[in-house]
Amino acid sequence: VTGVGNLVPYLGTVVGVALAAALALSFGDSWMLGKVALIYATVVTVDSVFLTPRLLGTRVGLSPVAVILAVLSFGQLFGFAGVLVAVPATAVLKVVANVLLDRYRESRVYLP
C-alpha cells in the first residue's frame, strides 16, 4: 500500500505510517509504536536524502543537489503540483539551457 501510495509524494509515507501505527497499537505495546516510528523515520530519510536524488538524478542527468533544490524550490513556488513536476521541468530547463548555450558559442557574438 505504501509503495502504490508513493506515486503521489508524501501520500505513501503518510498512509504507511498510519497503517503501521494502527497495527503496532493493536498489539497494545507502546514500544512497538516507537520501533515503527524509528524504522519509518530511518527509511524515509535514507530514501529521500540518499536514494531518490541519486537514482532519479542519474536517469534525467541531474546531480542529487539539483534534484533536491528543484523539488524544494518548485514546491515552494507552486505547491503540491510543483513537487510533482519539479524534476521533469528541471530536466527540460537543463536541455533548453544547453541548446541555447551551444547556439551562443557558435554565434558571431562569441566567436572572434
Side-chain angles (χ1 to χ4, degrees):
V1 172
T2 301
V4 172
N6 274 337
L7 294 173
V8 178
Y10 304 112
L11 179 66
T13 302
V14 170
V15 169
V17 167
L19 290 173
L23 187 62
L25 288 175
S26 70
F27 286 111
D29 188 10
S30 62
W31 286 105
M32 184 66 73
L33 184 61
K35 290 177 187 178
V36 166
L38 180 66
I39 289 171
Y40 258 97
T42 304
V43 168
V44 167
T45 300
V46 168
D47 177 49
S48 63
V49 173
F50 298 109
L51 294 178
T52 299
R54 287 194 170 97
L55 295 176
L56 191 61
T58 57
R59 289 278 189 186
V60 295
L62 298 172
S63 71
V65 173
V67 172
I68 292 171
L69 290 176
V71 171
L72 290 175
S73 60
F74 274 72
Q76 182 68 32
L77 292 172
F78 305 111
F80 181 70
V83 172
L84 294 176
V85 299
V87 175
T90 304
V92 168
L93 290 173
K94 179 184 176 190
V95 170
V96 169
N98 284 337
V99 168
L100 291 175
L101 185 62
D102 288 342
R103 286 188 181 175
Y104 168 71
R105 287 184 178 155
E106 294 170 357
S107 72
R108 292 186 315 144
V109 175
Y110 183 76
L111 296 174

XYZ file of all heavy atoms in Angstrom:
819
model
N 0.840 -1.197 0.000
C 0.000 0.000 0.000
C 0.877 1.250 0.000
O 0.599 2.212 -0.705
C -0.960 -0.007 1.217
C -1.697 1.305 1.346
C -1.939 -1.147 1.103
N 1.954 1.218 0.774
C 2.856 2.368 0.820
C 3.530 2.578 -0.529
O 3.680 3.714 -0.977
C 3.929 2.157 1.906
O 3.281 1.997 3.156
C 4.859 3.339 2.000
N 3.917 1.499 -1.187
C 4.567 1.609 -2.489
C 3.671 2.228 -3.542
O 4.095 3.081 -4.309
N 2.421 1.812 -3.584
C 1.477 2.385 -4.540
C 1.188 3.841 -4.180
O 1.097 4.705 -5.046
C 0.171 1.564 -4.588
C -0.888 2.255 -5.424
C 0.458 0.173 -5.122
N 1.088 4.125 -2.891
C 0.848 5.498 -2.457
C 1.995 6.437 -2.764
O 1.813 7.647 -2.855
N 3.203 5.895 -2.958
C 4.359 6.738 -3.259
C 4.308 7.331 -4.652
O 5.148 8.160 -4.999
C 5.665 5.951 -3.087
C 6.145 5.988 -1.655
O 5.798 6.888 -0.905
N 6.929 5.010 -1.282
N 3.344 6.924 -5.464
C 3.161 7.578 -6.748
C 2.787 9.043 -6.549
O 3.061 9.875 -7.398
C 2.092 6.860 -7.570
C 2.453 5.442 -8.015
C 1.252 4.773 -8.666
C 3.635 5.455 -8.946
N 2.144 9.340 -5.444
C 1.847 10.715 -5.045
C 2.781 11.035 -3.884
O 2.732 10.359 -2.859
C 0.369 10.875 -4.614
C 0.100 12.294 -4.159
C -0.559 10.448 -5.716
N 3.647 12.050 -4.042
C 4.609 12.339 -2.977
C 3.930 12.541 -1.620
O 2.879 13.171 -1.524
C 5.273 13.635 -3.444
C 5.118 13.609 -4.919
C 3.811 12.925 -5.179
N 4.527 11.989 -0.611
C 4.102 12.067 0.788
C 2.888 11.215 1.112
O 2.702 10.841 2.255
C 3.853 13.515 1.245
C 5.026 14.415 1.043
C 4.991 15.433 0.107
C 6.197 14.229 1.772
C 6.087 16.255 -0.088
C 7.293 15.030 1.570
C 7.236 16.057 0.641
O 8.317 16.851 0.442
N 2.038 10.912 0.151
C 0.838 10.131 0.435
C 1.199 8.721 0.885
O 0.643 8.212 1.857
C -0.085 10.073 -0.788
C -1.360 9.252 -0.596
C -2.257 9.925 0.427
C -2.082 9.074 -1.910
N 2.132 8.096 0.207
C 2.541 6.743 0.566
C 3.122 6.672 1.964
O 2.820 5.748 2.734
N 3.933 7.644 2.310
C 4.529 7.665 3.643
C 3.465 7.853 4.713
O 3.464 7.153 5.727
C 5.580 8.786 3.736
O 6.569 8.568 2.725
C 6.244 8.798 5.085
N 2.562 8.782 4.478
C 1.514 9.055 5.474
C 0.619 7.833 5.660
O 0.325 7.428 6.794
C 0.689 10.298 5.061
C -0.541 10.455 5.925
C 1.548 11.538 5.120
N 0.205 7.223 4.565
C -0.658 6.041 4.650
C 0.092 4.889 5.306
O -0.440 4.183 6.169
C -1.178 5.651 3.255
C -1.859 4.293 3.274
C -2.124 6.710 2.731
N 1.346 4.688 4.925
C 2.146 3.615 5.502
C 2.367 3.772 6.994
O 2.253 2.805 7.759
N 2.679 4.986 7.420
C 2.871 5.239 8.855
C 1.568 5.022 9.612
O 1.565 4.423 10.695
C 3.425 6.667 9.092
C 3.345 7.061 10.548
C 4.850 6.761 8.595
N 0.466 5.490 9.043
C -0.818 5.319 9.722
C -1.179 3.845 9.866
O -1.602 3.405 10.947
C -1.911 6.066 8.955
N -1.006 3.076 8.797
C -1.321 1.649 8.874
C -0.383 0.909 9.835
O -0.828 0.067 10.627
C -1.241 1.016 7.486
C -2.326 1.425 6.498
C -2.036 0.854 5.121
C -3.686 0.982 6.991
N 0.911 1.224 9.780
C 1.872 0.565 10.669
C 1.627 0.945 12.129
O 1.725 0.100 13.031
C 3.288 0.917 10.266
N 1.282 2.206 12.377
C 0.993 2.640 13.742
C -0.271 1.967 14.271
O -0.316 1.543 15.438
C 0.850 4.160 13.789
N -1.287 1.852 13.432
C -2.516 1.177 13.863
C -2.250 -0.294 14.175
O -2.756 -0.826 15.175
C -3.587 1.299 12.780
N -1.434 -0.921 13.364
C -1.092 -2.316 13.613
C -0.267 -2.460 14.890
O -0.491 -3.377 15.682
C -0.327 -2.887 12.419
C -0.028 -4.373 12.449
C -1.336 -5.160 12.469
C 0.814 -4.769 11.263
N 0.681 -1.542 15.104
C 1.502 -1.594 16.322
C 0.644 -1.376 17.568
O 0.843 -2.039 18.588
C 2.608 -0.543 16.257
N -0.298 -0.456 17.477
C -1.169 -0.200 18.625
C -2.140 -1.351 18.870
O -2.603 -1.547 19.994
C -1.936 1.108 18.431
C -1.092 2.375 18.553
C -1.934 3.605 18.227
C -0.490 2.496 19.946
N -2.451 -2.112 17.837
C -3.357 -3.241 18.026
C -2.720 -4.328 18.889
O -3.410 -5.115 19.504
C -3.793 -3.817 16.682
O -2.710 -4.473 16.059
N -1.385 -4.343 18.917
C -0.701 -5.282 19.802
C -0.653 -4.759 21.230
O -0.256 -5.471 22.133
C 0.727 -5.557 19.313
C 0.773 -6.430 18.095
C 1.175 -5.912 16.877
C 0.407 -7.761 18.166
C 1.214 -6.707 15.756
C 0.447 -8.572 17.039
C 0.855 -8.036 15.835
N -1.032 -3.479 21.421
C -1.117 -2.907 22.757
C 0.220 -2.583 23.381
O 0.322 -2.423 24.587
N 1.253 -2.469 22.586
C 2.589 -2.217 23.107
C 3.086 -0.872 22.599
O 3.242 -0.669 21.396
C 3.532 -3.341 22.661
C 4.893 -3.278 23.315
O 5.065 -2.487 24.248
O 5.771 -4.046 22.872
N 3.350 0.061 23.514
C 3.831 1.374 23.096
C 5.264 1.308 22.568
O 5.682 2.156 21.781
C 3.731 2.375 24.248
O 4.541 1.956 25.324
N 6.034 0.314 22.999
C 7.395 0.161 22.473
C 7.361 -0.196 20.992
O 8.234 0.216 20.228
C 8.177 -0.901 23.248
C 8.584 -0.421 24.594
C 8.031 -0.765 25.791
C 9.622 0.515 24.886
N 8.655 -0.110 26.810
C 9.646 0.688 26.278
C 10.517 1.221 24.100
C 10.535 1.541 26.911
C 11.414 2.068 24.731
C 11.411 2.224 26.117
N 6.362 -0.973 20.608
C 6.222 -1.341 19.202
C 5.950 -0.099 18.353
O 6.480 0.038 17.262
C 5.090 -2.353 19.018
C 4.945 -2.868 17.610
S 6.342 -3.844 17.042
C 6.089 -5.339 17.965
N 5.140 0.822 18.864
C 4.869 2.068 18.156
C 6.152 2.881 17.999
O 6.407 3.457 16.944
C 3.797 2.883 18.889
C 3.352 4.172 18.209
C 2.746 3.878 16.849
C 2.377 4.903 19.096
N 6.978 2.907 19.015
C 8.263 3.608 18.931
C 9.185 2.979 17.900
O 9.878 3.683 17.157
N 9.190 1.652 17.846
C 10.014 0.951 16.857
C 9.549 1.271 15.438
O 10.355 1.493 14.530
C 9.966 -0.559 17.096
C 10.682 -1.008 18.345
C 10.505 -2.515 18.527
C 11.060 -2.985 19.848
N 10.838 -4.431 20.049
N 8.229 1.275 15.257
C 7.670 1.599 13.945
C 8.061 3.015 13.535
O 8.482 3.262 12.398
C 6.133 1.427 13.945
C 5.504 2.066 12.714
C 5.772 -0.037 14.027
N 7.949 3.953 14.461
C 8.307 5.339 14.164
C 9.789 5.459 13.816
O 10.156 6.162 12.871
C 7.965 6.235 15.353
N 10.644 4.769 14.533
C 12.083 4.814 14.273
C 12.413 4.210 12.904
O 13.196 4.775 12.135
C 12.849 4.086 15.377
C 14.364 4.055 15.218
C 14.929 5.457 15.332
C 14.980 3.140 16.262
N 11.803 3.080 12.590
C 12.063 2.434 11.308
C 11.583 3.310 10.154
O 12.304 3.512 9.173
C 11.404 1.038 11.259
C 12.163 0.092 12.193
C 11.370 0.493 9.845
C 11.487 -1.238 12.408
N 10.380 3.847 10.266
C 9.876 4.703 9.198
C 10.709 5.961 9.050
O 11.000 6.394 7.932
C 8.400 5.061 9.410
C 7.492 4.242 8.544
C 6.863 3.107 9.030
C 7.280 4.580 7.218
C 6.046 2.345 8.232
C 6.456 3.820 6.406
C 5.849 2.711 6.922
O 5.043 1.956 6.124
N 11.120 6.572 10.147
C 11.957 7.772 10.064
C 13.277 7.458 9.369
O 13.744 8.228 8.520
C 12.205 8.331 11.456
N 13.865 6.322 9.691
C 15.127 5.935 9.071
C 14.952 5.660 7.582
O 15.721 6.153 6.746
C 15.702 4.685 9.764
O 15.843 4.954 11.156
C 17.032 4.293 9.178
N 13.935 4.889 7.233
C 13.714 4.526 5.836
C 13.383 5.751 4.991
O 13.923 5.932 3.895
C 12.594 3.460 5.725
C 12.148 3.274 4.288
C 13.069 2.144 6.309
N 12.514 6.614 5.489
C 12.133 7.809 4.733
C 13.337 8.733 4.555
O 13.546 9.304 3.480
C 10.954 8.539 5.417
C 10.749 9.917 4.840
C 9.695 7.715 5.285
N 14.157 8.872 5.597
C 15.336 9.720 5.491
C 16.326 9.164 4.467
O 16.821 9.907 3.616
C 16.028 9.855 6.861
O 15.093 10.429 7.778
C 17.259 10.715 6.774
N 16.610 7.883 4.548
C 17.545 7.276 3.591
C 16.994 7.386 2.170
O 17.727 7.721 1.235
C 17.822 5.803 3.969
C 18.534 5.070 2.848
C 18.643 5.733 5.239
N 15.704 7.155 2.004
C 15.105 7.224 0.678
C 15.134 8.642 0.121
O 15.568 8.865 -1.011
C 13.666 6.716 0.730
C 12.978 6.848 -0.614
O 13.566 6.427 -1.632
O 11.849 7.374 -0.648
N 14.686 9.612 0.890
C 14.545 10.962 0.359
C 15.855 11.730 0.275
O 15.983 12.636 -0.537
C 13.528 11.752 1.185
O 13.996 11.897 2.498
N 16.829 11.391 1.101
C 18.081 12.139 1.092
C 19.149 11.462 0.230
O 19.922 12.140 -0.447
C 18.610 12.338 2.529
C 19.983 12.967 2.533
C 17.642 13.188 3.331
N 19.187 10.138 0.226
C 20.264 9.451 -0.480
C 19.812 8.759 -1.765
O 20.376 8.992 -2.829
C 20.935 8.420 0.440
C 21.583 9.039 1.638
C 21.046 8.877 2.894
C 22.726 9.802 1.505
C 21.626 9.458 4.002
C 23.323 10.385 2.598
C 22.774 10.211 3.855
N 18.820 7.895 -1.682
C 18.468 7.056 -2.828
C 17.787 7.810 -3.968
O 18.245 7.758 -5.108
C 17.577 5.897 -2.374
C 18.231 4.882 -1.444
C 17.232 3.826 -1.035
C 19.433 4.254 -2.103
N 16.692 8.473 -3.670
C 15.913 9.120 -4.725
C 16.713 10.158 -5.501
O 16.702 10.132 -6.737
C 14.623 9.731 -4.152
O 13.842 8.679 -3.578
C 13.818 10.427 -5.229
N 17.415 11.086 -4.852
C 18.177 12.053 -5.654
C 19.240 11.402 -6.537
O 19.443 11.814 -7.672
C 18.832 12.955 -4.606
C 17.965 12.847 -3.415
C 17.463 11.437 -3.426
N 19.893 10.374 -6.038
C 20.948 9.735 -6.845
C 20.361 8.919 -7.997
O 20.829 9.004 -9.131
C 21.815 8.871 -5.958
C 22.716 9.710 -5.087
C 23.816 8.888 -4.448
N 24.768 9.777 -3.817
C 24.780 10.089 -2.535
N 23.891 9.581 -1.722
N 25.678 10.914 -2.053
N 19.340 8.119 -7.712
C 18.759 7.283 -8.758
C 17.993 8.115 -9.779
O 18.143 7.934 -10.986
C 17.839 6.233 -8.139
C 18.516 5.201 -7.240
C 17.482 4.289 -6.617
C 19.549 4.412 -8.002
N 17.174 9.008 -9.308
C 16.382 9.842 -10.204
C 17.268 10.814 -10.960
O 17.071 11.059 -12.144
C 15.318 10.598 -9.401
C 14.243 11.315 -10.186
C 13.459 10.322 -11.016
C 13.330 12.048 -9.245
N 18.267 11.345 -10.295
C 19.173 12.295 -10.930
C 19.961 11.676 -12.063
O 20.184 12.304 -13.098
N 20.397 10.435 -11.895
C 21.156 9.802 -12.972
C 20.266 9.491 -14.170
O 20.735 9.495 -15.300
C 21.840 8.504 -12.483
O 20.855 7.616 -11.953
C 22.871 8.804 -11.415
N 19.003 9.242 -13.932
C 18.079 8.964 -15.043
C 17.857 10.195 -15.919
O 17.744 10.084 -17.125
C 16.722 8.501 -14.520
C 16.729 7.153 -13.923
C 16.635 6.147 -15.011
N 16.430 4.847 -14.411
C 16.413 3.749 -15.086
N 16.584 3.785 -16.378
N 16.229 2.601 -14.490
N 17.760 11.364 -15.303
C 17.468 12.575 -16.065
C 18.692 13.460 -16.243
O 18.607 14.520 -16.837
C 16.323 13.386 -15.411
C 15.029 12.623 -15.454
C 16.665 13.809 -14.012
N 19.829 13.032 -15.741
C 21.064 13.786 -15.940
C 21.248 14.961 -14.999
O 21.938 15.915 -15.342
N 20.631 14.910 -13.827
C 20.773 15.977 -12.846
C 21.550 15.462 -11.638
O 21.450 14.295 -11.284
C 19.400 16.467 -12.379
C 18.487 17.071 -13.439
C 17.107 17.313 -12.857
C 19.062 18.352 -13.981
N 22.290 16.344 -11.008
C 23.011 15.952 -9.797
C 22.027 15.812 -8.641
O 20.921 16.382 -8.683
C 24.073 16.990 -9.453
O 23.458 18.178 -9.000
N 22.393 15.060 -7.593
C 21.490 14.926 -6.434
C 21.126 16.272 -5.814
O 19.979 16.479 -5.403
C 22.288 14.071 -5.458
C 23.226 13.290 -6.308
C 23.564 14.191 -7.463
N 22.064 17.184 -5.773
C 21.780 18.517 -5.206
C 20.761 19.241 -6.075
O 19.846 19.901 -5.561
C 23.080 19.332 -5.067
C 22.801 20.754 -4.646
C 24.026 18.662 -4.084
N 20.888 19.115 -7.387
C 19.940 19.769 -8.293
C 18.534 19.202 -8.115
O 17.551 19.945 -8.160
C 20.400 19.607 -9.740
N 18.427 17.893 -7.909
C 17.113 17.273 -7.696
C 16.483 17.801 -6.411
O 15.308 18.187 -6.394
C 17.233 15.738 -7.667
C 15.919 15.099 -7.251
C 17.665 15.216 -9.022
N 17.264 17.828 -5.337
C 16.740 18.315 -4.056
C 16.333 19.776 -4.162
O 15.244 20.177 -3.722
C 17.774 18.104 -2.934
C 17.954 16.610 -2.672
C 17.353 18.827 -1.654
C 19.101 16.277 -1.739
N 17.190 20.603 -4.760
C 16.861 22.026 -4.914
C 15.641 22.228 -5.813
O 14.817 23.101 -5.550
C 18.057 22.787 -5.466
C 19.229 22.954 -4.511
C 20.399 23.634 -5.212
C 18.823 23.750 -3.283
N 15.528 21.424 -6.853
C 14.371 21.542 -7.752
C 13.074 21.226 -7.014
O 12.099 21.975 -7.115
C 14.541 20.621 -8.951
N 13.071 20.128 -6.271
C 11.859 19.743 -5.546
C 11.501 20.796 -4.500
O 10.335 21.188 -4.366
C 12.025 18.347 -4.909
C 10.875 18.034 -3.974
C 12.121 17.285 -5.987
N 12.497 21.279 -3.771
C 12.226 22.293 -2.744
C 11.740 23.601 -3.357
O 10.768 24.194 -2.884
C 13.469 22.536 -1.903
C 13.888 21.410 -0.965
C 15.220 21.747 -0.289
C 12.830 21.150 0.074
N 12.400 24.069 -4.408
C 12.020 25.355 -4.980
C 10.677 25.286 -5.711
O 9.839 26.170 -5.560
C 13.114 25.882 -5.904
O 13.346 24.983 -6.950
N 10.464 24.238 -6.498
C 9.179 24.113 -7.186
C 8.048 23.911 -6.175
O 6.940 24.404 -6.378
C 9.211 22.953 -8.183
C 9.760 23.316 -9.527
C 11.110 23.561 -9.699
C 8.934 23.402 -10.623
C 11.631 23.887 -10.933
C 9.438 23.730 -11.876
C 10.798 23.976 -12.025
N 8.311 23.186 -5.104
C 7.299 23.018 -4.067
C 6.953 24.330 -3.401
O 5.784 24.610 -3.112
N 7.956 25.154 -3.161
C 7.722 26.460 -2.537
C 6.958 27.385 -3.484
O 6.061 28.109 -3.066
C 9.064 27.092 -2.146
C 8.936 28.417 -1.444
C 8.330 28.292 -0.070
O 8.504 27.302 0.615
N 7.606 29.301 0.340
N 7.328 27.357 -4.768
C 6.698 28.261 -5.725
C 5.304 27.813 -6.157
O 4.405 28.637 -6.305
C 7.584 28.399 -6.971
C 8.904 29.131 -6.771
C 9.759 29.018 -8.025
C 8.662 30.584 -6.426
N 5.132 26.503 -6.386
C 3.893 26.025 -6.992
C 3.121 25.033 -6.136
O 2.152 24.437 -6.604
C 4.200 25.393 -8.359
C 4.951 26.299 -9.283
C 6.263 26.023 -9.621
C 4.355 27.432 -9.799
C 6.969 26.856 -10.474
C 5.049 28.275 -10.649
C 6.356 27.985 -10.996
N 3.579 24.805 -4.914
C 2.863 23.912 -4.013
C 2.992 22.454 -4.408
O 4.014 22.015 -4.930
N 1.936 21.702 -4.160
C 1.944 20.264 -4.397
C 2.177 19.939 -5.869
O 2.923 19.019 -6.206
C 0.627 19.656 -3.913
C 0.546 18.178 -4.085
C 1.320 17.344 -3.297
C -0.293 17.628 -5.029
C 1.254 15.963 -3.457
C -0.368 16.258 -5.195
C 0.412 15.418 -4.406
N 1.558 20.693 -6.760
C 1.753 20.461 -8.199
C 3.210 20.695 -8.579
O 3.751 19.996 -9.444
C 0.834 21.366 -9.009
N 3.861 21.645 -7.941
C 5.268 21.907 -8.212
C 6.166 20.752 -7.829
O 7.140 20.453 -8.520
N 5.828 20.084 -6.728
C 6.603 18.914 -6.301
C 6.486 17.807 -7.347
O 7.457 17.107 -7.640
C 6.130 18.420 -4.919
C 6.768 17.104 -4.548
C 6.428 19.464 -3.860
N 5.310 17.656 -7.931
C 5.097 16.597 -8.917
C 5.866 16.830 -10.215
O 6.328 15.888 -10.847
C 3.603 16.459 -9.229
C 2.711 15.978 -8.089
C 1.255 15.990 -8.528
C 3.122 14.595 -7.636
N 5.998 18.078 -10.623
C 6.636 18.371 -11.912
C 8.054 18.903 -11.778
O 8.679 19.255 -12.777
C 5.790 19.366 -12.742
C 4.431 18.800 -13.055
C 5.696 20.702 -12.063
N 8.599 18.944 -10.575
C 9.897 19.579 -10.350
C 11.021 18.947 -11.158
O 11.759 19.639 -11.865
C 10.235 19.547 -8.859
N 11.193 17.651 -11.070
C 12.327 17.001 -11.738
C 12.171 17.023 -13.265
O 13.123 17.389 -13.963
C 12.534 15.581 -11.194
C 13.615 14.853 -11.958
C 12.904 15.636 -9.715
N 11.006 16.668 -13.816
C 10.891 16.754 -15.280
C 11.071 18.185 -15.810
O 11.716 18.383 -16.836
C 9.481 16.247 -15.575
C 9.077 15.479 -14.380
C 9.815 16.055 -13.227
N 10.514 19.156 -15.106
C 10.652 20.545 -15.550
C 12.103 21.000 -15.482
O 12.585 21.704 -16.381
C 9.766 21.454 -14.702
N 12.813 20.605 -14.451
C 14.217 20.975 -14.333
C 15.045 20.311 -15.425
O 15.960 20.924 -15.983
C 14.759 20.591 -12.947
O 13.933 21.214 -11.955
C 16.189 21.035 -12.760
N 14.733 19.072 -15.763
C 15.442 18.393 -16.852
C 15.194 19.104 -18.181
O 16.123 19.282 -18.975
C 15.000 16.938 -16.931
N 13.966 19.541 -18.420
C 13.648 20.280 -19.643
C 14.399 21.605 -19.664
O 14.986 21.991 -20.685
C 12.127 20.507 -19.771
C 11.803 21.517 -20.859
C 11.417 19.195 -20.030
N 14.411 22.309 -18.541
C 15.139 23.582 -18.463
C 16.634 23.386 -18.705
O 17.280 24.217 -19.343
C 14.902 24.241 -17.110
C 13.499 24.795 -16.870
C 13.361 25.275 -15.432
C 13.218 25.926 -17.833
N 17.174 22.271 -18.232
C 18.587 21.994 -18.453
C 18.875 21.776 -19.932
O 19.862 22.291 -20.462
C 19.014 20.766 -17.645
C 20.468 20.412 -17.841
C 20.862 19.158 -17.126
C 22.310 18.806 -17.452
N 22.686 17.501 -16.991
N 18.016 21.035 -20.619
C 18.198 20.795 -22.047
C 18.092 22.097 -22.828
O 18.914 22.381 -23.712
C 17.172 19.753 -22.562
C 17.178 19.677 -24.070
C 17.471 18.399 -21.956
N 17.098 22.918 -22.510
C 16.922 24.203 -23.197
C 18.140 25.095 -22.957
O 18.649 25.730 -23.891
C 15.617 24.889 -22.733
C 15.549 26.326 -23.209
C 14.417 24.105 -23.213
N 18.622 25.138 -21.729
C 19.799 25.957 -21.422
C 21.026 25.466 -22.180
O 21.812 26.285 -22.686
C 20.065 25.947 -19.920
N 21.198 24.159 -22.288
C 22.340 23.619 -23.044
C 22.250 23.956 -24.525
O 23.257 24.293 -25.151
C 22.456 22.108 -22.846
C 23.027 21.757 -21.496
O 23.715 22.555 -20.871
N 22.741 20.544 -21.033
N 21.050 23.879 -25.107
C 20.869 24.219 -26.519
C 21.170 25.700 -26.742
O 21.880 26.069 -27.685
C 19.446 23.863 -26.994
C 19.141 24.470 -28.351
C 19.269 22.358 -27.030
N 20.637 26.549 -25.872
C 20.892 27.990 -26.013
C 22.372 28.317 -25.834
O 22.919 29.150 -26.554
C 20.047 28.771 -25.013
C 18.539 28.774 -25.264
C 17.820 29.493 -24.131
C 18.230 29.405 -26.599
N 23.033 27.648 -24.911
C 24.461 27.870 -24.700
C 25.271 27.411 -25.916
O 26.205 28.110 -26.346
C 24.924 27.141 -23.440
C 26.367 27.366 -23.017
C 26.610 28.843 -22.697
C 26.696 26.507 -21.807
N 24.917 26.289 -26.496
C 25.602 25.816 -27.706
C 25.415 26.783 -28.869
O 26.357 27.071 -29.612
C 25.110 24.424 -28.099
C 25.609 23.343 -27.163
O 26.586 23.597 -26.420
O 25.007 22.238 -27.160
N 24.200 27.277 -29.033
C 23.947 28.243 -30.119
C 24.722 29.535 -29.896
O 25.226 30.128 -30.857
C 22.457 28.545 -30.224
C 21.698 27.416 -30.837
C 20.283 27.792 -31.123
N 19.579 26.656 -31.698
C 18.305 26.671 -31.963
N 17.574 27.741 -31.720
N 17.744 25.604 -32.489
N 24.811 29.968 -28.660
C 25.585 31.178 -28.364
C 27.060 30.968 -28.689
O 27.708 31.836 -29.277
C 25.410 31.568 -26.895
C 26.383 32.622 -26.446
C 26.269 33.934 -26.895
C 27.427 32.308 -25.587
C 27.170 34.900 -26.502
C 28.331 33.257 -25.175
C 28.207 34.558 -25.639
O 29.102 35.508 -25.247
N 27.577 29.810 -28.324
C 29.001 29.534 -28.577
C 29.307 29.410 -30.068
O 30.448 29.567 -30.474
C 29.418 28.270 -27.843
C 29.521 28.484 -26.361
C 30.018 27.256 -25.653
N 30.147 27.517 -24.227
C 30.088 26.585 -23.304
N 29.921 25.317 -23.636
N 30.216 26.902 -22.034
N 28.315 29.112 -30.883
C 28.509 29.020 -32.331
C 28.192 30.333 -33.043
O 28.399 30.443 -34.251
C 27.630 27.909 -32.900
C 28.011 26.530 -32.426
C 26.999 25.467 -32.810
O 25.949 25.823 -33.411
O 27.247 24.292 -32.497
N 27.723 31.328 -32.321
C 27.310 32.587 -32.941
C 28.501 33.494 -33.216
O 29.604 33.302 -32.725
C 26.294 33.308 -32.050
O 26.948 33.830 -30.925
N 28.239 34.528 -34.008
C 29.285 35.513 -34.324
C 29.615 36.363 -33.105
O 30.694 36.928 -33.022
C 28.813 36.417 -35.467
C 28.706 35.688 -36.776
C 28.370 36.613 -37.941
N 27.306 37.543 -37.603
C 27.262 38.798 -38.046
N 28.204 39.257 -38.820
N 26.266 39.583 -37.720
N 28.723 36.472 -32.173
C 28.972 37.272 -30.973
C 30.059 36.612 -30.118
O 30.933 37.288 -29.592
C 27.677 37.426 -30.136
C 27.952 38.148 -28.828
C 26.612 38.128 -30.937
N 30.033 35.301 -30.049
C 31.002 34.581 -29.214
C 32.326 34.361 -29.931
O 33.392 34.530 -29.370
C 30.405 33.232 -28.778
C 31.294 32.428 -27.862
C 31.435 32.770 -26.524
C 32.014 31.344 -28.343
C 32.246 32.048 -25.681
C 32.832 30.610 -27.521
C 32.953 30.962 -26.171
O 33.773 30.242 -25.344
N 32.250 33.971 -31.212
C 33.465 33.677 -31.959
C 34.108 34.983 -32.450
O 33.411 35.905 -32.833
C 33.146 32.780 -33.158
C 32.617 31.402 -32.818
C 32.193 30.675 -34.085
C 33.653 30.599 -32.065
N 35.445 35.029 -32.458
C 36.113 36.271 -32.916
C 36.015 36.465 -34.420
O 35.808 35.633 -35.191
C 37.569 36.074 -32.499
C 37.740 34.628 -32.235
C 36.376 34.051 -31.976
